[in-house]
Amino acid sequence: MVTFPELESWIRAGDSGRLTAALADLDEPSRRSLAAQLKGLRLQWNDPELEFAPHGDPRRPHTRRSYEERTLRFQQREGALRVAGAACLPRAADIVSWLRSDRFWQAPLPHSVDAVVQVLRLPGRPSLPAIARSLAEKMRPTRADDQWPLIARLLDEAELPPPATEATLRGWMRRVGADRYRKDLADLLRADPHLESMLPHVFTIPLLGQELDEEWTKALTRLAADGVLDRQALLDGCVLRLHAGDRTGPLRRMVVLHRLLDPTADEFAARRGEYSGMLSSADSTVAELALRGLRLADDAGLLESDTVAEAAWAILPRKEKKLVRAQLDWLGAALTRKADPLLFEALLTGLSNPGADLAERALKLAGRHLPAFGPTGLDQLIRVTASLQGDLRRQAASLLPAAPADPGTPAPTATSTVSATSAVGGTDIGASAASWTGVAASPASGASVAESAMGGAYVGGVTVSGPGTATPTVGGTDIGGGNADGGFGVGAGFAGTPPVAAPMPDPIASIPELAAEAKYLLYQAHDPIRFELIMDGLVRFVALDRPAVVRALEPIVPQWSSAFANMLRAVVTGQAAKWAPEAWERKAGPPFWMAIRRMEELAEQMCTTPPPALLSTPATVGGHVDPARVLRLLGAGGEPQPYDLSQALLRLPRQIDPAVRAAAAGLTSPAGRTFAGFIESGGLPDPTVITLDPGRRCTHRVRDHCGCATRARRRVVTFDAIKTDLTVQPYLLFQPADVAADQANAYSSDRLAGWPMVFPSHRELAAAHMQPRLVKASEGKGAASDISVLPALAACDGPFGPAMALCLAYGMSAARPDGRLATSDAFVDLAARGVLDGTLVGRELAALHPANVLVLKRVVDTLTQILQAGAATQVWMTLREFLPAVLSASKPPIGTPDLLLVAESAAAAASAHDDIPELTAAATRPTRNRVTAEAARLHRTLTSNRPAT
C-alpha cells in the first residue's frame, strides 16, 4: 500500500520511475483513493529545495543551483506529477483536465511521456483513445510547445490521426522541425507519416503561415520538385490562403512560398478568379503578386478584357503608387493592342485616385487613347471630369472641345457658372464653358488670406481684435466660422452643428455600485468622469448610511497608499493619512494636484464632519458646473473647503444666467461673497499666452555623452500670473518660461484625461499645462492616451490661441496613428464650431519644422484626414503658413511632395489664390523632380483661382 506522503515525496524528488512502479503494483481502487489529496498538490518554482542544493562544507550548508539545473529538476517534478494524475484520477475527463491544466509550465521529458503512457495502459484506467482525442481537440495554440510531445505520443499509441486544429498543426510543424539544425528539413518531412494528411490544413487555417519560415518554404518547394508533394495542390493551398487573407506576417510567408513555386502564365490564367480577388487585399505585397501574375497571363494572350478591366477597377483607387503605375502600364499596353471601351471606362477610374500625380498619369493615358473611342469616350471623360477639381480638372478640360456660347445665354460672370451645350457628333455632352476652364467660379473680390486670423491680426482685409469680433475672408467668402451651408469654409461641405456638451451620467444609485466603481478606479486607468461620480457618491451615501458604506468599502481598501486609497481609508477608519508621493509624482503638473488636494480635503472632512454635498461636482462631461446648483448650495449655508470652492469657480461656464448673477449678490457667507464677486468680475480672465523655444537645457554633470546637444528643440507655452484670490495649486495660474521648459524636458507619467475638466471654460490654460506632456507623445516616447485627450481639450470653451495651436501641431506629428486621428478629430471639431485659427496652427508647425521635431509624413496623414472631413479652408490656412518653412529648406524633407498634394487639394476646394514666393521659386526651378512638379501644380491652381483683372 502506498500512502500519500510517500507519493508526494517521490513527486518532489522527480522520481517518475519509482512512482510508476509503485502505482503499477496497486489495484484500481487503491490508486483512485489517492486522487483527492493529489488534486491539492501544487509545485512551486521558488521552492527552496529547487533553488539550493546541499553543500559538503559545513560552513556553507547550501549552494545555489544553476538555472539549467533548477529547470531540469522542476521538469522532473512536473513529469512525476503528470504520471500520478494519469494513474489516480478516476475519469477520462479528469485526466484530460489534469494533463492540460496550467499547473504544468514545462514540456515533459521523454521518460515522463513513457511513464504516462505506461500508467494509462494499466487495468481499470479510462480509455486511452478517448483521452488522446480529447487532449488533442482541446489543446490551445499557446500551449502547443509544452503539450504536443505528450499528445502526439498518446495519439500514436491510440493509433489515431491528429485532428486538424491550429494547435495540433503548430505542434506538428514545430516537432517536425525540431531537428532541422542537425538534419535536412526536407528529409525530415519526407520521413514524417503525417505529412500528407496535415500539410493541406496549414493553408486552410489562419495564422499558421507564420510557421513557414525560409527553411520550410524551401523544403516544401524541393519536395514538390521531387514529386513527393503534388505541386498543383501546394500552389492551390497557397493561393487559397492569399485570397482568403490573413495577418501581415503569415501572408508574407505565403508570398515567399508562392514566389518559390514560380507559377507559369497558364497557372495564373487557370486561377484568374482567385488572383483577381487578391487585388483588393489590404496587403500590398499580395496585391502586387496577383497583379504581376495576371499581367503575365494577359501578355501571353490568356485573359479576356473583362479580367483586365476588373483588375483596373480594383487597383486604380488604391494609394500604393507602385501598384497604380504598374496597372496603368498594363492598361496602356492592353489599349494599344485593342481599343476596348470597357478598358477605357476602367482607365477613367484612375482619375479619382487620391494621389494627384497618379490621377494625372491616368488622365494623360486617357488623353492618348481618347481619339480611338470617339463621342462615346468623350462622353465618358466629361462625366468623370465633372467630379474633378483644381489642376486636374483644368488638364481634363484641355482634352475637351471648346464649348461654343449660346447666343441666347447671358455672358458668364466671375461669380457664376454658365451652362453651355456642345455637340460632338450630334451628342449632347452638357459641358459648362466655365466649368471646363476653372475649378469653382472665382470670387469677385481680390482679397486674400493674410497673416493671423485671431488676436488683433490682419485677416483678409479684416482686423480682428479678439475671438468672435469679425469673420475673416478668402476672396470675399466667409472662412472663419463656417459658411451658410453649415460647413467651415469655402468648399467645406460639412453639414450640421457641434453637439451641446453631454450631461454627466446618472449619479451612482447604490452603495454596492459605489464600492464596485471605487474598486475599478483603484486598479484601472484614470477615468475623470468615474472619479467625479465616486466623489459625489461618497458624500451622498456617507450622509445617508455611513456604516453601510464602511462595510462595502472595507474589503476593497488596499494596503498601499495613494490619495484615492487614503480617501477611501478615511471613510472606513475615520483617520486621515498623508500621502507621500514618489519623486516622479512630485513633478506632476498643477492640474494633477488639484484633484489630489480635493481628495485630501474630503478625507479630512470624513474624519470630522462630512459635507452634505460637493460644490465642484460637474454637470456636464466637459467639466462645467451648474451655476444654479452652486447658488443653491451656497444659499443653504454650506461652507465648502477652499479647493472645492476654487475648482467649482474654475468650472463655471463663461455665460451665466442674469437671474443667477442677481441672486448671488444676496449671499452673505464668505464662500457666497467669493462666488458673487467672481461672477460679477467676469470670472477668470483669459491669459496672454506666448509660445517660444527655450533652447536646449542640460542638467547633467557629465555632458560628453548625454545627447542633450543633439536632442530636438521643444517649444513651450508661457503665460503671466493671473491675479485672483482663488486657492489653487502653485503655478496653476502662472507658467513662466523656466517652469515650462522644465516640464517639457522632465520625465512624467501624468494622467491627462482629467486636466481639461479643471479648466472647462479656459481652453488655453488647459492646453498650456498639457502641451509639455504632448511633446513626448509626438516623439514616440509618450503614452497614446496623452494625445487622445486632444478632443476633450478642444471641447473646452474659450478663445483659440497659441497654446492650443501648439498642441495640435505636436499632435499632427504623433508617432501612433490613433494619436493623429485624435488630433484630426480635435481640429475638425474646432473648425466646425468656428473657433479654429488655422493660421496659428500653421505658424506653430513652421516654428517646429527647423527644430527637427516634425515627421512630415505624419503631418500629411493628419491633414489628409482633416481635409476628407471637409475642413478644406482651415487646412489651407494652416498650409499657407507652413509651406514657406518647408520649401525654403536647403533640402526638402521626405514627404514634401505629398504635403504639396494635400495643399493643392485644399486650395482647389477653398478657391484660395494666395501668392507664396517660396512656392513660386520651387515651381520654377530648372531641375525636374516630384517637389518641382507638385509645386508647379499647386502654383497653377492658385494662379487660376485669381479673379480676372
Side-chain angles (χ1 to χ4, degrees):
M1 181 67 182
V2 175
T3 63
F4 182 75
E6 292 176 316
L7 185 73
E8 182 179 4
S9 66
W10 295 331
I11 292 173
R12 295 195 179 279
D15 194 348
S16 298
R18 187 172 182 182
L19 178 67
T20 303
L23 292 174
D25 291 339
L26 298 178
D27 56 12
E28 183 66 15
S30 299
R31 288 193 294 268
R32 294 191 179 193
S33 65
L34 299 170
Q37 293 175 287
L38 182 63
K39 290 180 180 180
L41 181 59
R42 305 286 297 194
L43 300 178
Q44 300 294 333
W45 171 258
N46 57 356
D47 190 337
E49 294 183 6
L50 284 176
E51 189 172 359
F52 299 98
H55 196 279
D57 189 346
R59 294 171 298 179
R60 297 178 56 198
H62 297 88
T63 183
R64 188 179 296 274
R65 301 181 193 272
S66 67
Y67 179 81
E68 291 75 13
E69 183 182 2
R70 188 178 178 185
T71 301
L72 177 60
R73 291 180 66 84
F74 193 71
Q75 283 182 293
Q76 292 171 342
R77 285 188 173 189
E78 285 193 341
L81 188 60
R82 282 190 180 94
V83 173
C88 300
L89 295 175
R91 300 179 304 158
D94 296 331
I95 296 175
V96 170
S97 298
W98 177 267
L99 293 177
R100 64 186 297 269
S101 68
D102 291 336
R103 71 179 65 229
F104 301 114
W105 298 358
Q106 306 287 338
L109 297 170
H111 70 271
S112 299
V113 175
D114 295 337
V116 171
V117 173
Q118 183 178 346
V119 298
L120 286 177
R121 290 192 176 279
L122 293 175
R125 288 285 77 203
S127 168
L128 178 60
I131 294 172
R133 183 182 301 107
S134 183
L135 278 173
E137 292 173 350
K138 294 181 178 181
M139 183 175 63
R140 300 189 299 269
T142 55
R143 302 298 305 275
D145 287 333
D146 55 285
Q147 291 183 359
W148 178 249
L150 174 61
I151 294 175
R153 175 67 182 280
L154 294 178
L155 290 171
D156 290 342
E157 293 292 333
E159 299 181 352
L160 294 175
T165 65
E166 180 187 350
T168 57
L169 286 163
R170 286 188 186 276
W172 170 73
M173 295 177 74
R174 293 173 185 176
R175 187 185 184 194
V176 171
D179 292 333
R180 58 180 169 171
Y181 300 108
R182 295 188 297 269
K183 301 178 182 178
D184 184 66
L185 181 58
D187 294 337
L188 292 172
L189 287 170
R190 187 181 284 110
D192 188 86
H194 300 299
L195 176 63
E196 185 176 348
S197 61
M198 297 290 279
L199 184 61
H201 298 290
V202 172
F203 303 101
T204 61
I205 299 178
L207 303 179
L208 285 175
Q210 65 187 16
E211 302 290 340
L212 297 176
D213 57 15
E214 183 179 0
E215 291 189 47
W216 265 91
T217 54
K218 290 181 178 179
L220 293 177
T221 306
R222 179 176 159 190
L223 292 177
D226 293 344
V228 177
L229 295 176
D230 184 350
R231 184 180 177 281
Q232 294 300 316
L234 189 60
L235 180 59
D236 286 338
C238 187
V239 171
L240 171 67
R241 176 45 48 202
L242 291 171
H243 180 261
D246 209 336
R247 293 183 181 177
T248 301
L251 279 180
R252 297 293 171 86
R253 303 288 177 86
M254 292 292 178
V255 169
V256 172
L257 177 60
H258 187 278
R259 289 174 179 168
L260 291 175
L261 291 173
D262 193 19
T264 63
D266 290 328
E267 290 172 330
F268 277 114
R271 299 167 177 83
R272 61 172 64 89
E274 290 80 0
Y275 285 109
S276 296
M278 291 182 206
L279 296 173
S280 301
S281 173
D283 192 295
S284 60
T285 308
V286 176
E288 181 183 3
L289 176 150
L291 184 63
R292 287 182 176 180
L294 291 173
R295 173 73 188 272
L296 178 65
D298 184 55
D299 290 343
L302 302 175
L303 296 184
E304 300 294 334
S305 296
D306 57 346
T307 303
V308 183
E310 183 180 353
W313 283 321
I315 291 293
L316 291 182
R318 294 180 68 114
K319 296 181 180 180
E320 296 89 351
K321 297 181 183 296
K322 183 179 180 181
L323 288 178
V324 176
R325 293 191 189 106
Q327 179 64 56
L328 291 174
D329 291 342
W330 183 11
L331 277 176
L335 285 169
T336 301
R337 291 195 304 266
K338 179 182 179 182
D340 192 322
L342 184 63
L343 295 180
F344 187 76
E345 180 183 356
L347 171 61
L348 296 181
T349 306
L351 300 184
S352 62
N353 190 280
D357 54 338
L358 298 176
E360 181 181 281
R361 186 165 179 163
L363 180 62
K364 290 180 179 178
L365 183 60
R368 190 182 312 148
H369 294 278
L370 180 62
F373 297 96
T376 303
L378 187 63
D379 184 52
Q380 290 176 327
L381 182 59
I382 289 173
R383 287 198 302 268
V384 175
T385 303
S387 62
L388 302 180
Q389 62 180 9
D391 185 63
L392 188 64
R393 179 164 181 165
R394 285 188 297 277
Q395 293 186 50
S398 67
L399 301 176
L400 302 173
D406 190 336
T409 303
T413 65
T415 56
S416 64
T417 301
V418 181
S419 298
T421 303
S422 172
V424 179
T427 303
D428 180 11
I429 62 176
S432 166
S435 65
W436 299 141
T437 57
V439 192
S442 299
S445 169
S448 172
V449 182
E451 303 304 326
S452 173
M454 298 290 177
Y458 184 74
V459 186
V462 180
T463 300
V464 185
S465 60
T469 60
T471 303
T473 63
V474 173
T477 306
D478 172 21
I479 67 169
N483 50 20
D485 65 357
F488 18 137
V490 177
F494 184 91
T497 57
V500 179
M504 285 285 286
D506 293 336
I508 295 175
S510 65
I511 294 176
E513 182 185 354
L514 173 65
E517 295 287 353
K519 182 178 180 180
Y520 177 88
L521 204 62
L522 276 169
Y523 299 100
Q524 303 297 327
H526 182 62
D527 184 343
I529 305 296
R530 182 177 272 110
F531 169 73
E532 295 293 345
L533 292 174
I534 292 172
M535 293 277 285
D536 172 68
L538 276 176
V539 171
R540 287 188 295 107
F541 288 113
V542 164
L544 182 66
D545 188 355
R546 181 161 185 165
V549 176
V550 171
R551 289 193 299 271
L553 294 182
E554 190 172 14
I556 70 169
V557 174
Q559 298 297 321
W560 40 265
S561 175
S562 71
F564 185 70
N566 288 352
M567 181 179 66
L568 299 180
R569 190 175 293 109
V571 175
V572 173
T573 66
Q575 297 178 353
K578 194 69 175 179
W579 174 47
E582 299 291 340
W584 60 268
E585 291 170 319
R586 291 195 293 271
K587 298 178 181 179
F592 169 83
W593 286 99
M594 285 296 291
I596 300 298
R597 299 305 179 218
R598 290 175 58 208
M599 287 187 281
E600 291 177 345
E601 280 184 344
L602 185 56
E604 293 286 350
Q605 289 180 289
M606 289 297 176
C607 299
T608 54
T609 304
L614 291 177
L615 208 64
S616 58
T617 300
T620 69
V621 295
H624 284 111
V625 297
D626 181 6
R629 176 182 178 273
V630 175
L631 175 67
R632 184 174 63 254
L633 291 176
L634 292 175
E639 192 64 28
Q641 292 294 301
Y643 280 97
D644 185 34
L645 174 61
S646 297
Q647 182 62 89
L649 297 182
L650 288 175
R651 285 178 170 174
L652 287 172
R654 298 178 79 91
Q655 302 296 328
I656 297 179
D657 189 351
V660 174
R661 292 177 178 270
L667 297 175
T668 58
S669 66
R673 291 195 300 271
T674 301
F675 171 63
F678 187 82
I679 62 176
E680 183 63 27
S681 64
L684 193 71
D686 293 315
T688 301
V689 177
I690 300 173
T691 58
L692 53 86
D693 180 357
R696 296 187 178 96
R697 305 183 64 187
C698 180
T699 58
H700 299 94
R701 293 182 179 179
V702 180
R703 303 185 180 184
D704 293 341
H705 306 288
C706 65
C708 292
T710 58
R711 187 177 57 199
R713 300 170 70 93
R714 297 170 172 174
R715 287 180 69 78
V716 298
V717 177
T718 71
F719 58 90
D720 293 334
I722 301 175
K723 295 182 179 180
T724 179
D725 295 331
L726 299 181
T727 302
V728 295
Q729 184 69 16
Y731 293 108
L732 183 74
L733 303 179
F734 175 41
Q735 185 158 288
D738 57 341
V739 173
D742 288 341
Q743 293 286 358
N745 292 298
Y747 169 79
S748 66
S749 59
D750 302 352
R751 295 170 176 174
L752 304 184
W755 289 23
M757 295 183 72
V758 178
F759 309 100
S761 295
H762 296 82
R763 185 189 303 108
E764 280 294 276
L765 278 177
H769 285 292
M770 295 170 63
Q771 178 270 325
R773 278 81 185 170
L774 303 183
V775 172
K776 297 181 179 64
S778 69
E779 296 174 356
K781 302 173 184 176
S785 58
D786 293 344
I787 295 289
S788 65
V789 78
L790 278 179
L793 180 60
C796 293
D797 203 356
F800 186 91
M804 187 65 203
L806 185 56
C807 288
L808 291 175
Y810 271 114
M812 287 183 179
S813 188
R816 295 172 58 114
D818 52 351
R820 299 194 291 275
L821 179 61
T823 304
S824 64
D825 288 344
F827 191 104
V828 171
D829 178 34
L830 290 166
R833 288 157 51 196
V835 298
L836 177 74
D837 181 6
T839 302
L840 284 181
V841 180
R843 287 180 176 175
E844 294 302 331
L845 286 170
L848 291 174
H849 178 66
N852 296 323
V853 172
L854 301 178
V855 178
L856 209 55
K857 286 189 174 183
R858 299 175 187 169
V859 177
V860 170
D861 177 56
T862 308
L863 290 174
T864 301
Q865 295 178 35
I866 297 170
L867 186 61
Q868 291 171 349
T873 300
Q874 293 293 350
V875 170
W876 171 248
M877 292 173 69
T878 300
L879 287 173
R880 184 200 58 217
E881 298 294 326
F882 183 37
L883 280 175
V886 176
L887 295 176
S888 61
S890 57
K891 181 179 180 181
I894 297 175
T896 299
D898 296 326
L899 186 71
L900 290 167
L901 280 174
V902 176
E904 195 275 335
S905 298
S911 296
H913 47 83
D914 302 85
D915 183 15
I916 304 176
E918 294 84 358
L919 177 66
T920 304
T924 56
R925 286 173 186 162
T927 57
R928 302 304 298 172
N929 50 40
R930 275 203 67 203
V931 173
T932 304
E934 300 306 334
R937 186 197 311 278
L938 175 57
H939 187 265
R940 289 194 299 270
T941 298
L942 294 174
T943 302
S944 65
N945 287 344
R946 291 169 187 157
T949 56

